[in-house]
Amino acid sequence: MPLSPELRARMAHDMLSNRKFDGDTDIPDECRLFINLADRETLERPAVCGWTYKMDVFTAKNRRPHCPLHINIHGGGWLIGHMPNDTLWCAWLADQIGGVVVDVDYTTTEFASFPVPMEQCLDAARYVFDHLGDWDADPKRVSCGGYSAGGQLTMSITVTSIMRGEPLPFCLLINGYGPNDMAYDDAEAKAVPEYWKTSEYRNAGFGVLMTDDDPALLSDPAIDFMQAPEDVLAALPTTMILGGSKCPFRFQNLEQGRRLALLGVEVIMKIFPGGVHGFIPHFMPHWKEGAELIVKGIHNISL
């Protein structure tokens, strides 16, 4: 039975008040200067599935002609919206690749369930490919990536586009500790401290809010992308999977990489010792190491 607006609002409030860190107060002072590295333009997009959304376009001040373009999809359990750390991360990344980063500010599950966030990210990617000339971006060097929920959405929009017969021509996907199975209840995962304070909060966000209380959707390939047919998974572009040894999704990330590699996908994978969930765009320990791998991939990989 679909959630009532009152129940959705109450669940969202409970989860938002029980997260462990945010994207503003935990930012190192030196990282706040990243905002000066790129110019920012906000694009308002028409409604998708009944909801409007925005995209922020970060153009590096050192942008080179025929530059790479990267689409960034933020994390936050599909519930937490765009935060200051996302802006700083995108400005830094645009500078490092000497190009453009398009940051998708999709509608979160505080307001709407699946498929709204996925369809909006898919719409954003289509818009980007239709407007590469506006940014003098190289069509052979368009990549997409995200972290946690953003990693899942990155994989899901790519899988969905292939299943619909209109594959997005990305040269590189970046899944930063993004899950596919939303019911990770094995003992090892439970022993790892989580982003949410209790597994009950996690299950509420990753299950009920995301699916509008329809558990059958959790096996839909547009949510659990590893449920896609093998020929679809085999058609994925080069995929970078980054995780942390203290992240509860590390087991899923390892299995994602193993299975994709067996299907012939070029996989770049690293689990960072001591890395926690959220470490890259939140500028936590090991963030620079992960970020440098991403920059290297964007520079070196093309169609």
Side-chain angles (χ1 to χ4, degrees), residues 13-32:
H13 177 270
D14 287 347
M15 289 189 69
L16 289 169
S17 64
N18 276 277
R19 53 196 171 109
K20 290 184 176 180
F21 55 84
D22 62 43
D24 189 6
T25 59
D26 303 316
I27 298 173
D29 289 341
E30 62 271 21
C31 296
R32 295 183 183 274

Side-chain angles (χ1 to χ4, degrees), residues 283-295:
F283 310 113
M284 302 166 79
H286 304 292
W287 84 268
K288 198 67 175 292
E289 299 165 61
E292 288 172 351
L293 275 179
I294 293 168
V295 171

